[in-house]
Amino acid sequence: MTSLFDNESPPPSREPLEEGALVLRGFAADIPALVAEIERIAAAAPFRHMVTPGGHKMSVAMTNCGRVGWTSNSRGYSYEPVDPATGRPWPALPECFLDLARRAAAETGFPGYDPDACLVNRYAPGAKLGLHQDRDERDPVAPIVSVSIGLTATFIWGGTKRHLPVRRFPVESGDVVVWGGPARFVYHGVAPLKYGEHPVTGALRYNLTFRKVF
Ligand code: MD6
Ligand code: FE
C-alpha cells in the first residue's frame, strides 16, 4: 500500500515535553518563504550582535519584527518600539509568521495567541545561547513559540529552576517548540551550532521566537 507521505517529508508529529510544552516536528512547511521574509526584515533592520548587561557580545546575531523588539545592552534587556540601530520602528510581523505562530500556539492549547514581538536569531557555526528563562514579557501565561529554520541545532530544555537536570534534543528545519502556561518559565538554551550545509540557508540556522509582551 502506498502512503500519502511517500516521497515527501515525514508527516508533522507532536512530542510533549511537559504540561504546556510541545515540539511540533515539521510544523513550518514553507521554509523558503520564511527565509525570504527574514531577508526582507534584515534589509530594513539589520542583524547585529547585541551586548549583554554583563558586557559580553552575544554570538547569536539578532533582529526583530513586530510592535516591539527585544534588545539588550549594558543597561539591561528591554522591549523597544524603535530599533536603536536605525531609529525606525521594527518591520511589521509578516502575515505568514503570525499565521504560523497562532496555529502552533493553538495546537499546544493556547488559542487566540496574539504575539507583539518576533525575535529573529541568526546562528553561524559556533554560535550558542546559554541556559536562560524568557522573563522580560509582562504576560506570564501566553507561550513562547520558537521556529527552527536551516541547520539543525541541539536545543537544551531544563526545568523551572536553573539547577534542575536538562534534556537535549535536535531541532531541525521546520520544527516548532512551544512553551507556555505551567512551562512558561522553563530554562532553555541552544548548544554551539555545528558546521553544516542546508539547501536554503547554507551554513546558518535561523530561529524565530514569538512573544506576547504586553
Ligand atoms: C533559539 N532563542 O534561538 C531560542 N531567548 O532557538 C531564545 O530562547 C532566546 O534568542 C531570549 C532571548 C533571545 C533568544
Ligand atoms: Fe529564550
Side-chain angles (χ1 to χ4, degrees):
M1 202 178 91
T2 61
S3 151
L4 184 58
F5 298 104
D6 277 354
N7 305 318
E8 290 177 24
S9 324
S13 71
R14 36 158 66 231
E15 295 172 13
L17 284 165
E18 57 190 78
E19 198 186 336
L22 277 183
V23 186
L24 301 164
R25 297 286 178 196
F27 193 81
D30 195 347
I31 296 300
L34 296 177
V35 172
E37 289 295 349
I38 291 170
E39 286 167 355
R40 207 180 48 75
I41 290 161
F47 280 105
R48 79 290 310 259
H49 294 272
M50 297 184 192
V51 174
T52 66
H56 299 282
K57 202 167 96 171
M58 298 180 79
S59 58
V60 180
M62 297 179 179
T63 185
N64 290 275
C65 60
R67 292 191 282 276
V68 290
W70 187 85
T71 65
S72 177
N73 61 33
S74 56
R75 293 182 304 278
Y77 307 127
S78 62
Y79 280 97
E80 300 294 337
V82 166
D83 177 355
T86 65
R88 293 189 301 265
W90 302 99
L93 257 179
E95 204 53 49
C96 67
F97 281 21
L98 203 52
D99 175 66
L100 175 61
R102 284 191 172 140
R103 286 188 299 107
E107 194 69 21
T108 314
F110 302 98
Y113 187 51
D114 181 28
D116 31 32
C118 174
L119 175 65
V120 185
N121 296 315
R122 186 185 68 194
Y123 292 72
K128 62 179 168 37
L129 198 65
L131 202 64
H132 67 278
Q133 290 171 304
D134 289 4
R135 48 176 205 196
D136 306 312
E137 301 77 23
R138 215 170 287 168
D139 190 319
V141 176
I144 304 286
V145 173
S146 168
V147 180
S148 292
I149 297 165
L151 285 185
T152 300
T154 299
F155 206 80
I156 306 170
W157 182 260
T160 50
K161 299 266 189 300
R162 186 180 282 281
H163 66 86
L164 290 173
V166 301
R167 284 177 268 175
R168 290 162 194 271
F169 54 87
V171 278
E172 293 179 18
S173 196
D175 292 350
V176 179
V177 188
V178 182
W179 63 100
R184 177 62 179 71
F185 295 104
V186 165
Y187 278 87
H188 58 280
V190 178
L193 187 73
K194 291 200 181 110
Y195 181 81
E197 278 291 328
H198 183 274
V200 181
T201 66
L204 295 172
R205 170 183 187 251
Y206 294 108
N207 168 264
L208 309 175
T209 42
F210 296 89
R211 294 95 188 281
K212 176 78 181 128
V213 180
F214 296 111

